[in-house]
Amino acid sequence: MNEPMPLQSTSSTPVIALDSVTKTYQMGEVAVHALRGVSLTVQRGEYVAIIGASGSGKSTLMNIIGLLDRPTHGSYRIRGQEVSRLSKSAQADIRNREIGFVFQRFNLLPRTSAQAQVELPLFYAGVTGAKAKRRAVEALTRVGLAQRLDHRPDQLSGGQQQRVAIARALVTQPSLLLADEPTGALDSKTTAEILDLFDALHAQGLTLVVVTHEHAVAARAARVITISDGTVVSDASTRQKEE
Amino acid sequence: MRIMRYLGVALSNIGVNKLRSLLTMLGIIIGVAAVLTTLGIANGAANSITADIQQQGTNLLEVSDARGVGGSRLTTADARILGDRTEFPHFVGVAPAYSGNTTLVRNGVDVEARVQGVTGAYLTVSTIEVASGRFLNAADETHGARVAVLGSDLASDLFGAAEPLGQEVRIGGDLFTVVGVLKTSGGSRFFSNDTTAYVPLTIAQTRLFAAPFYRGERLVSSISIKVDDAYPLEQAEQDVEAALRLLHGLKLGDDNDFSIFNQASLLDLAAGVSTTLSVLLGGIGAISLLVGGIGIMNIMLVTVTERTNEIGLRRALGAHDRDILVQFLAEALVLCLLGGVIGVGLSFGIGALLSAIPAFPITIAIDATAVILALLVSSAAAILFGLYPALRATRLDPVEALRYE
Ligand SMILES: Nc1ncnc2c1ncn2[C@@H]1O[C@H](COP(=O)(O)OP(=O)(O)O)[C@@H](O)[C@H]1O
Ligand SMILES: [Mg+2]
């Protein structure tokens, strides 16, 4: 079993904190500046949407937040710990423990039952057997799929598949749920269902960061960060406006 | 155990694409089955030759001329002297023979067969047994009797269901009376006794084949000598050599004009042939496993490419390099081992099938060492050929992998 890393986390420590993060892709002679100095913090329990046009740098930012990619410059802390320069292996452990991913295309394993899909992150955390099964069933129950444990992706609707993916993201009890265009492949009715589920999870205290190009989706978040051409152009709390 | 989980995952991945997995394993299956079956046949053949020789007795010497037909100097006189019990008390049977092929005719049925001129002593140096009637004896020899003893197949070819004993058969130009029929020897004889006719030596040398003379004596084709069990065969061989050199007037430094063959050396030969065959087949096996292994590597590379997206996902969920590596290695290992096990099963199946054919002369003997070796080699092939694709899988960039369609 993996021992949790000692993180100097207090209630006031942000879940994630980016400071002047840049990402430059070198395409031969040309340098593509995908991120030009992004600073942002997300506190525990926040529901944040990141919105921007296509090519604005959303996915690049997502990948850095999700430790799938490293920033060219700048600092990135998760619960106070600098993580951007950690080894590949240490980053894999943090991804496993701290971050739950939800993708546009669900990314479920073919011909694999919902329960087995959800057990997968636990396998990499060293949790197997009855304990893994119990936690997978709990997570699937949380997303309303308690009756679909043995269903394979081809036996589930798009909305149900995305729920399986959300259960898989939740099962390790991460500090942050990171969703990249989570409703991009869904119709408006199922989109509403998934967004309702996000609301419910947020209400239970989960920290969410949702990347989207749809304003309707972003509008459900309490805070909307707009990026354009690799920089944050606005960071607004929608609830405060309402109040 | 974690590794069991990986093997489980590998098994279910293989199960998902059954036909492709089977085709991938085919190289290994055929390689293992072919090697084990051929090794089994080689083993079985060696066993049966050994059994044959041991049945005949290993205390047997066979003298034949070393010069081909023209220059032979081995004669009836040599046999007579070697057969003198006061001179050679340890030679319990000395059987000269002169043989050739000719046509046997009876009631318009004619059969081309091997005819051996032998004396009664032949019974002591060979494995033949009389089924009915009697074998040739000393009286036949002294009276120049036109009598014959027939091998079982030859008897039925000539006489069908009729009783051959007392009947006449034309051999060469003369009529011979059948006085005996042999039991079927069957088995894996090199020369079958079942299709041979035996006649008195003198008759064969004079009437049938007109054997040439050497120093006033008729030539023989061979002299078989049975040595009593207490006497060392090497000693007997030296005795025969010394006697024949003297009889043939060879001087010191002259080469032997005859050769002596002993059954014990045939045993060594059989063992040697079996070892050589095993090494050869093992080599062919290694090559076929190499080909099978390349097949596995090819499919594993395809699998890694096909599952790029899955690898990206596993990365996102927290998989380390070693997790990805072990996953794909386990898959290659399961493919190879499964192929190996199926190959072993197949070889036993083929062995049982071949052994069930009555005409198949060999009992196939697949030994455990070969099976274990085949499985070990297939596992080694799996690691060897699975490693590169698995390493490729670990090198995939997670961002690229997740974007892969
Ligand atoms: N691997 C890469 N190599 C080069 N350029 C890239 C790469 N990934 C993204 N980019 C560029 O970086 C910019 C931001 O891309 P991205 O983060 O995918 O935007 P979004 O997700 O908002 O559409 C784009 O101009 C894109 O072409
Ligand atoms: Mg994008």
Side-chain angles (χ1 to χ4, degrees), chain B residues 272-298:
Chain B
V273 167
S274 164
T275 309
T276 312
L277 260 176
S278 301
V279 168
L280 204 75
L281 293 171
I284 293 170
I287 291 170
S288 64
L289 280 174
L290 186 81
V291 173
I294 291 170
I296 298 260
M297 175 140 104
N298 185 26

mmCIF file of all heavy atoms in Angstrom, chain B residues 272-298:
data_model
loop_
_atom_site.group_PDB
_atom_site.id
_atom_site.type_symbol
_atom_site.label_atom_id
_atom_site.label_comp_id
_atom_site.label_asym_id
_atom_site.label_seq_id
_atom_site.Cartn_x
_atom_site.Cartn_y
_atom_site.Cartn_z
ATOM 1 N N GLY B 272 24.063 -42.803 -30.589
ATOM 2 C CA GLY B 272 24.688 -41.640 -31.229
ATOM 3 C C GLY B 272 23.751 -40.974 -32.220
ATOM 4 O O GLY B 272 23.606 -39.755 -32.224
ATOM 5 N N VAL B 273 23.087 -41.796 -33.039
ATOM 6 C CA VAL B 273 22.157 -41.265 -34.033
ATOM 7 C C VAL B 273 21.038 -40.509 -33.332
ATOM 8 O O VAL B 273 20.645 -39.419 -33.732
ATOM 9 C CB VAL B 273 21.593 -42.403 -34.911
ATOM 10 C CG1 VAL B 273 20.404 -41.919 -35.712
ATOM 11 C CG2 VAL B 273 22.680 -42.942 -35.818
ATOM 12 N N SER B 274 20.555 -41.108 -32.235
ATOM 13 C CA SER B 274 19.456 -40.486 -31.500
ATOM 14 C C SER B 274 19.883 -39.124 -30.951
ATOM 15 O O SER B 274 19.133 -38.144 -31.027
ATOM 16 C CB SER B 274 19.023 -41.416 -30.376
ATOM 17 O OG SER B 274 18.249 -40.722 -29.452
ATOM 18 N N THR B 275 21.106 -39.038 -30.422
ATOM 19 C CA THR B 275 21.599 -37.765 -29.882
ATOM 20 C C THR B 275 21.732 -36.723 -30.995
ATOM 21 O O THR B 275 21.287 -35.583 -30.844
ATOM 22 C CB THR B 275 22.971 -37.964 -29.211
ATOM 23 O OG1 THR B 275 22.864 -39.048 -28.300
ATOM 24 C CG2 THR B 275 23.407 -36.722 -28.472
ATOM 25 N N THR B 276 22.327 -37.144 -32.117
ATOM 26 C CA THR B 276 22.497 -36.227 -33.236
ATOM 27 C C THR B 276 21.145 -35.698 -33.703
ATOM 28 O O THR B 276 20.968 -34.500 -33.923
ATOM 29 C CB THR B 276 23.184 -36.950 -34.417
ATOM 30 O OG1 THR B 276 24.309 -37.648 -33.899
ATOM 31 C CG2 THR B 276 23.626 -35.978 -35.473
ATOM 32 N N LEU B 277 20.195 -36.630 -33.830
ATOM 33 C CA LEU B 277 18.850 -36.239 -34.264
ATOM 34 C C LEU B 277 18.246 -35.233 -33.301
ATOM 35 O O LEU B 277 17.654 -34.238 -33.709
ATOM 36 C CB LEU B 277 17.953 -37.474 -34.313
ATOM 37 C CG LEU B 277 17.737 -38.074 -35.697
ATOM 38 C CD1 LEU B 277 16.916 -39.353 -35.589
ATOM 39 C CD2 LEU B 277 17.023 -37.077 -36.586
ATOM 40 N N SER B 278 18.414 -35.496 -31.985
ATOM 41 C CA SER B 278 17.842 -34.610 -30.977
ATOM 42 C C SER B 278 18.417 -33.215 -31.105
ATOM 43 O O SER B 278 17.686 -32.219 -31.049
ATOM 44 C CB SER B 278 18.126 -35.145 -29.573
ATOM 45 O OG SER B 278 17.587 -36.424 -29.446
ATOM 46 N N VAL B 279 19.745 -33.138 -31.305
ATOM 47 C CA VAL B 279 20.391 -31.827 -31.425
ATOM 48 C C VAL B 279 19.867 -31.103 -32.669
ATOM 49 O O VAL B 279 19.499 -29.935 -32.622
ATOM 50 C CB VAL B 279 21.924 -31.995 -31.498
ATOM 51 C CG1 VAL B 279 22.587 -30.695 -31.907
ATOM 52 C CG2 VAL B 279 22.459 -32.474 -30.154
ATOM 53 N N LEU B 280 19.778 -31.870 -33.773
ATOM 54 C CA LEU B 280 19.315 -31.308 -35.035
ATOM 55 C C LEU B 280 17.886 -30.782 -34.904
ATOM 56 O O LEU B 280 17.572 -29.644 -35.265
ATOM 57 C CB LEU B 280 19.359 -32.416 -36.093
ATOM 58 C CG LEU B 280 19.467 -31.940 -37.511
ATOM 59 C CD1 LEU B 280 20.887 -31.469 -37.775
ATOM 60 C CD2 LEU B 280 19.090 -33.063 -38.476
ATOM 61 N N LEU B 281 17.022 -31.633 -34.327
ATOM 62 C CA LEU B 281 15.623 -31.248 -34.193
ATOM 63 C C LEU B 281 15.476 -30.107 -33.208
ATOM 64 O O LEU B 281 14.647 -29.222 -33.378
ATOM 65 C CB LEU B 281 14.794 -32.453 -33.748
ATOM 66 C CG LEU B 281 14.717 -33.552 -34.808
ATOM 67 C CD1 LEU B 281 14.076 -34.794 -34.239
ATOM 68 C CD2 LEU B 281 13.948 -33.054 -36.011
ATOM 69 N N GLY B 282 16.319 -30.137 -32.170
ATOM 70 C CA GLY B 282 16.312 -29.038 -31.210
ATOM 71 C C GLY B 282 16.632 -27.729 -31.915
ATOM 72 O O GLY B 282 15.999 -26.695 -31.662
ATOM 73 N N GLY B 283 17.593 -27.772 -32.828
ATOM 74 C CA GLY B 283 17.967 -26.582 -33.599
ATOM 75 C C GLY B 283 16.812 -26.097 -34.453
ATOM 76 O O GLY B 283 16.489 -24.903 -34.465
ATOM 77 N N ILE B 284 16.156 -27.055 -35.140
ATOM 78 C CA ILE B 284 15.003 -26.684 -35.970
ATOM 79 C C ILE B 284 13.919 -26.091 -35.084
ATOM 80 O O ILE B 284 13.279 -25.096 -35.421
ATOM 81 C CB ILE B 284 14.470 -27.924 -36.732
ATOM 82 C CG1 ILE B 284 15.513 -28.362 -37.757
ATOM 83 C CG2 ILE B 284 13.140 -27.616 -37.406
ATOM 84 C CD1 ILE B 284 15.216 -29.703 -38.391
ATOM 85 N N GLY B 285 13.758 -26.698 -33.901
ATOM 86 C CA GLY B 285 12.773 -26.205 -32.946
ATOM 87 C C GLY B 285 13.071 -24.779 -32.536
ATOM 88 O O GLY B 285 12.181 -23.938 -32.482
ATOM 89 N N ALA B 286 14.347 -24.518 -32.264
ATOM 90 C CA ALA B 286 14.738 -23.175 -31.851
ATOM 91 C C ALA B 286 14.397 -22.176 -32.953
ATOM 92 O O ALA B 286 13.885 -21.086 -32.680
ATOM 93 C CB ALA B 286 16.232 -23.138 -31.545
ATOM 94 N N ILE B 287 14.618 -22.571 -34.204
ATOM 95 C CA ILE B 287 14.321 -21.672 -35.323
ATOM 96 C C ILE B 287 12.813 -21.435 -35.423
ATOM 97 O O ILE B 287 12.360 -20.298 -35.578
ATOM 98 C CB ILE B 287 14.870 -22.250 -36.647
ATOM 99 C CG1 ILE B 287 16.401 -22.212 -36.609
ATOM 100 C CG2 ILE B 287 14.341 -21.467 -37.838
ATOM 101 C CD1 ILE B 287 17.071 -22.963 -37.729
ATOM 102 N N SER B 288 12.027 -22.507 -35.262
ATOM 103 C CA SER B 288 10.584 -22.318 -35.390
ATOM 104 C C SER B 288 10.047 -21.478 -34.235
ATOM 105 O O SER B 288 9.117 -20.692 -34.408
ATOM 106 C CB SER B 288 9.855 -23.656 -35.505
ATOM 107 O OG SER B 288 10.024 -24.388 -34.330
ATOM 108 N N LEU B 289 10.670 -21.639 -33.055
ATOM 109 C CA LEU B 289 10.244 -20.801 -31.925
ATOM 110 C C LEU B 289 10.639 -19.353 -32.165
ATOM 111 O O LEU B 289 9.917 -18.429 -31.776
ATOM 112 C CB LEU B 289 10.852 -21.316 -30.619
ATOM 113 C CG LEU B 289 10.108 -22.499 -30.030
ATOM 114 C CD1 LEU B 289 10.844 -23.052 -28.823
ATOM 115 C CD2 LEU B 289 8.698 -22.106 -29.642
ATOM 116 N N LEU B 290 11.778 -19.160 -32.826
ATOM 117 C CA LEU B 290 12.206 -17.806 -33.180
ATOM 118 C C LEU B 290 11.158 -17.162 -34.086
ATOM 119 O O LEU B 290 10.733 -16.023 -33.867
ATOM 120 C CB LEU B 290 13.555 -17.879 -33.896
ATOM 121 C CG LEU B 290 14.223 -16.550 -34.204
ATOM 122 C CD1 LEU B 290 14.930 -16.032 -32.962
ATOM 123 C CD2 LEU B 290 15.204 -16.679 -35.351
ATOM 124 N N VAL B 291 10.720 -17.947 -35.094
ATOM 125 C CA VAL B 291 9.701 -17.440 -36.015
ATOM 126 C C VAL B 291 8.413 -17.148 -35.241
ATOM 127 O O VAL B 291 7.802 -16.085 -35.394
ATOM 128 C CB VAL B 291 9.451 -18.460 -37.149
ATOM 129 C CG1 VAL B 291 8.283 -18.033 -38.011
ATOM 130 C CG2 VAL B 291 10.707 -18.619 -37.995
ATOM 131 N N GLY B 292 8.033 -18.092 -34.372
ATOM 132 C CA GLY B 292 6.847 -17.887 -33.537
ATOM 133 C C GLY B 292 6.989 -16.647 -32.681
ATOM 134 O O GLY B 292 6.062 -15.856 -32.541
ATOM 135 N N GLY B 293 8.180 -16.464 -32.123
ATOM 136 C CA GLY B 293 8.446 -15.311 -31.259
ATOM 137 C C GLY B 293 8.332 -14.007 -32.019
ATOM 138 O O GLY B 293 7.781 -13.024 -31.501
ATOM 139 N N ILE B 294 8.799 -13.998 -33.257
ATOM 140 C CA ILE B 294 8.684 -12.785 -34.068
ATOM 141 C C ILE B 294 7.213 -12.486 -34.340
ATOM 142 O O ILE B 294 6.791 -11.333 -34.307
ATOM 143 C CB ILE B 294 9.505 -12.939 -35.375
ATOM 144 C CG1 ILE B 294 10.994 -12.957 -35.024
ATOM 145 C CG2 ILE B 294 9.201 -11.804 -36.341
ATOM 146 C CD1 ILE B 294 11.906 -13.338 -36.168
ATOM 147 N N GLY B 295 6.432 -13.549 -34.553
ATOM 148 C CA GLY B 295 4.978 -13.379 -34.711
ATOM 149 C C GLY B 295 4.376 -12.711 -33.485
ATOM 150 O O GLY B 295 3.557 -11.793 -33.593
ATOM 151 N N ILE B 296 4.804 -13.164 -32.310
ATOM 152 C CA ILE B 296 4.303 -12.602 -31.052
ATOM 153 C C ILE B 296 4.703 -11.117 -30.974
ATOM 154 O O ILE B 296 3.893 -10.256 -30.626
ATOM 155 C CB ILE B 296 4.901 -13.370 -29.849
ATOM 156 C CG1 ILE B 296 4.476 -14.830 -29.895
ATOM 157 C CG2 ILE B 296 4.549 -12.680 -28.544
ATOM 158 C CD1 ILE B 296 3.357 -15.222 -29.015
ATOM 159 N N MET B 297 5.950 -10.838 -31.329
ATOM 160 C CA MET B 297 6.443 -9.458 -31.246
ATOM 161 C C MET B 297 5.609 -8.559 -32.149
ATOM 162 O O MET B 297 5.187 -7.478 -31.752
ATOM 163 C CB MET B 297 7.910 -9.413 -31.668
ATOM 164 C CG MET B 297 8.455 -8.013 -31.729
ATOM 165 S SD MET B 297 10.110 -7.936 -31.084
ATOM 166 C CE MET B 297 11.045 -7.820 -32.541
ATOM 167 N N ASN B 298 5.355 -9.063 -33.359
ATOM 168 C CA ASN B 298 4.576 -8.313 -34.326
ATOM 169 C C ASN B 298 3.198 -7.971 -33.758
ATOM 170 O O ASN B 298 2.766 -6.814 -33.763
ATOM 171 C CB ASN B 298 4.448 -9.179 -35.595
ATOM 172 C CG ASN B 298 3.754 -8.448 -36.712
ATOM 173 O OD1 ASN B 298 3.783 -7.216 -36.762
ATOM 174 N ND2 ASN B 298 3.127 -9.184 -37.592
#
